[in-house]
Amino acid sequence: MLLFKLECKRLFSGAINKLVLLLFVIAGVFAIYQGAQGYKTLRIDQYKSKIVFQKEREHVNKRETLPAAGSLAYYASAPTEWKLSPWAALFVGESHSSMVASKVRATALQSQIFNREIVNPAQQRTGGLDLGFVLVYLLPLVIGILTVTLISDEQHAGRWRMLNALPKSAFSQVAKQLALRFVVIWLLVILLLVSAAMLLSLPFDGVFWTVLLASTLYMVFWFAIASLIMSFGKTSVFNSLAYLSSWVVFAMLVPSAVHLYLSNQYKTDAPLEISLTQRVTLNDGWDKDKQQTLDTFLQHEPNWQDTAPLGEEFDWKWYYAQQHLSDVEVAQLWQQYRDNNQARQQTLQTLSALSPALFFQLKLNQLANTSSADQADYRLQVVEYHQQIRHFFYDFMFFDKPVTKTDVENFPLFEAKPLNKEINIWQILISALVIFALAFFSAVRLKQLRPI
């Protein structure tokens, strides 16, 4: 017990150690607060979109005479919602730079997806600090500062030979010092996660325990790296530079190289090509035979084949027929774009094994439903909802049915699919085996270290 008290006193006696731990906690608290505010803003935007649409629907129903179905379809911008997990406040992922409450009309879909600003720069938050950033990038630095010079400091102070002469080996003393630092940092991580869970009303479910387990394994990895570096018995300057270099490689260089490779390997101009092709198709459609356009449309949408032929006047069903045909025109480009993104994500998952930091960050985003895959799922939901809207209005336009107030009330609303938080236990087990193998190897080398 006395030795434990001495080690605790030694750990917290240094000004640098106390400052590092304090800054880590402050950064974590600030990240939680900023993430909570950002998540609240996103949820408010989603809620406002629903309220505004409801008010618009009520305004239409108050009119004595309802507009034509085509006119309603043109102005009815129905809100959608990216179903974000509350964990998105802690692990932002793709949600900070993407539309989370896109509005959809019955007109051409792809132009609505790509022919717009993805982000309003005036409303974008400064910086990208979230709890994921603190855990992925700052946590390893805290571990390195508190651990990597333990042995070299003992050597410099002339105590290393004395420790090796004691009945209990020097390795035992160093192991206790490492264990103490691991427990202190681990408790701080738990404190941040529990505080975030209580502030955001997060359940202590499988996601919480998975995040804690992943954070613990991530800590073990960096403690193993620090131990491996110490096992060479070099000076404090060498150890510090070696650890910092390891952090730069695993947390910055490898992820940057992976993303650079993916950008070059899966480079695509599909969004621009889709927007231009669709715009040209729509513009050219005004000069083509309108009945032929409608006939071509009916080949793709046979449920409305019983519609009457077009007359000389403007007809909404021709207008929406050419809108849909412009989507058909770029359907192959859209599918190629989706396949390209899917292949990119699969390659990213494979290459993330090269960097624990990248792998850890991707897993946190997946647990929070803010990954690129979740973004792609949301877009597919928007595509399905767009078809519901089109078919809802087609019944009125192609069969000359008047729109009633009851029909306005029965307009289909977007229903976000349930969150899909699949926890791949095999990936966690394999990661744990690799990390503990590294930790065992580092411990063996550390145990073999002898005084110089």
Side-chain angles (χ1 to χ4, degrees):
M1 181 60 70
L2 178 60
L3 183 60
F4 175 76
K5 291 182 179 179
L6 290 175
E7 288 298 337
C8 289
K9 184 177 180 180
R10 181 185 175 189
L11 173 60
F12 295 106
S13 61
I16 296 297
N17 290 356
K18 288 187 289 188
L19 180 61
V20 167
L21 292 174
L22 179 62
L23 290 178
F24 176 70
V25 173
I26 292 176
V29 171
F30 183 75
I32 294 172
Y33 174 77
Q34 183 174 346
Q37 294 301 311
Y39 178 73
K40 180 180 178 181
T41 300
L42 295 179
R43 293 295 294 161
I44 289 175
D45 289 343
Q46 292 176 336
Y47 179 75
K48 282 183 177 179
S49 297
K50 294 180 180 180
I51 296 300
V52 169
F53 184 73
Q54 180 63 29
K55 294 296 183 182
E56 291 174 348
R57 189 163 58 175
E58 293 175 358
H59 175 73
V60 170
N61 261 346
K62 288 180 181 179
R63 299 180 58 172
E64 293 183 2
T65 304
L66 294 180
S71 179
L72 282 176
Y74 186 84
Y75 291 104
S77 295
T80 64
E81 175 186 349
W82 182 351
K83 191 72 172 180
L84 295 173
S85 164
W87 288 93
L90 305 180
F91 314 121
V92 174
E94 300 292 334
S95 65
H96 74 290
S97 60
S98 305
M99 303 290 285
V100 297
S102 301
K103 293 183 178 181
V104 183
R105 297 187 299 164
T107 54
L109 175 63
Q110 302 305 328
S111 61
Q112 298 181 66
I113 293 178
F114 295 111
N115 193 21
R116 63 167 61 178
E117 282 187 331
I118 299 300
V119 177
N120 183 353
Q123 295 186 358
Q124 202 172 7
R125 299 199 310 271
T126 303
L129 182 64
D130 62 354
L131 189 59
F133 179 88
V134 173
L135 294 178
V136 173
Y137 297 101
L138 299 187
L139 179 59
L141 294 178
V142 174
I143 294 173
I145 292 173
L146 295 185
T147 62
V148 80
T149 61
L150 277 176
I151 294 180
S152 57
D153 288 344
E154 296 288 357
Q155 291 174 337
H156 181 74
R159 295 189 296 264
W160 184 242
R161 289 181 176 274
M162 182 181 64
L163 288 174
N164 278 273
L166 294 175
K168 291 186 178 180
S169 66
F171 170 77
S172 176
Q173 302 301 322
V174 173
K176 291 178 181 178
Q177 294 173 2
L178 289 173
L180 174 62
R181 283 154 177 76
F182 183 92
V183 171
V184 169
I185 299 174
W186 187 65
L187 290 176
L188 290 180
V189 172
I190 292 179
L191 176 64
L192 291 176
L193 289 177
V194 172
S195 300
M198 295 179 64
L199 177 64
L200 301 173
S201 300
L202 300 174
F204 292 91
D205 56 2
V207 176
F208 176 87
W209 297 110
T210 304
V211 171
L212 179 57
L213 175 60
S215 302
T216 303
L217 291 175
Y218 192 61
M219 285 179 57
V220 173
F221 170 80
W222 286 107
F223 267 91
I225 292 294
S227 300
L228 182 62
I229 293 173
M230 287 190 295
S231 68
F232 290 96
K234 301 296 183 178
T235 63
S236 297
V237 174
F238 176 89
N239 290 350
S240 299
L241 290 177
Y243 186 89
L244 182 60
S245 299
S246 301
W247 178 82
V248 170
V249 169
F250 287 122
M252 300 181 68
L253 292 183
V254 173
S256 298
V258 168
H259 287 295
L260 181 62
Y261 167 78
L262 293 176
S263 298
N264 293 328
Q265 186 71 17
Y266 298 97
K267 184 178 181 180
T268 177
D269 296 325
L272 178 60
E273 189 175 356
I274 288 173
S275 299
L276 291 176
T277 302
Q278 191 161 57
R279 179 60 61 88
V280 170
T281 302
L282 288 172
N283 289 341
D284 292 346
W286 291 88
D287 300 325
K288 294 181 179 179
D289 181 81
K290 294 181 173 54
Q291 185 60 50
Q292 183 180 356
T293 299
L294 180 60
D295 293 339
T296 303
F297 165 82
L298 294 175
Q299 293 177 7
H300 293 277
E301 297 284 345
N303 292 337
W304 290 274
Q305 284 183 347
D306 295 336
T307 186
L310 296 176
E312 295 296 328
E313 298 181 354
F314 172 82
D315 198 316
W316 280 112
K317 60 186 180 183
W318 161 81
Y319 177 80
Y320 286 99
Q322 73 158 345
Q323 290 283 328
H324 179 64
L325 288 179
S326 69
D327 276 333
V328 174
E329 183 70 22
V330 298
Q332 185 175 0
L333 291 174
W334 164 247
Q335 186 61 45
Q336 291 175 356
Y337 175 73
R338 285 180 52 198
D339 294 341
N340 184 77
N341 278 350
Q342 187 175 7
R344 187 182 189 278
Q345 288 305 312
Q346 292 176 349
T347 306
L348 176 59
Q349 292 293 331
T350 302
L351 295 180
S352 65
L354 300 175
S355 168
L358 179 59
F359 184 82
F360 184 43
Q361 187 174 45
L362 290 178
K363 294 308 170 188
L364 292 178
N365 292 342
Q366 290 173 5
L367 290 171
N369 293 100
T370 58
S371 66
S372 297
D374 293 300
Q375 183 190 47
D377 289 341
Y378 166 60
R379 282 189 175 179
L380 288 180
Q381 293 181 49
V382 172
V383 172
E384 294 174 1
Y385 180 57
H386 177 260
Q387 180 174 321
Q388 293 182 35
I389 295 175
R390 289 193 301 109
H391 290 178
F392 175 82
F393 285 112
Y394 286 173
D395 280 338
F396 301 98
M397 287 184 289
F398 287 87
F399 298 145
D400 295 324
K401 292 169 52 180
V403 180
T404 65
K405 295 183 178 182
T406 302
D407 295 323
V408 174
E409 288 295 330
N410 292 333
F411 180 85
L413 300 178
F414 181 81
E415 295 183 4
K417 293 182 179 179
L419 297 176
N420 184 21
K421 299 184 216 175
E422 293 184 357
I423 301 174
N424 194 327
I425 192 65
W426 288 108
Q427 286 187 343
I428 296 177
L429 289 176
I430 294 174
S431 301
L433 288 175
V434 173
I435 291 174
F436 282 117
L438 175 62
F440 178 77
F441 176 73
S442 301
V444 171
R445 281 193 53 88
L446 200 59
K447 191 174 183 179
Q448 295 173 348
L449 181 64
R450 291 294 179 263
I452 301 173

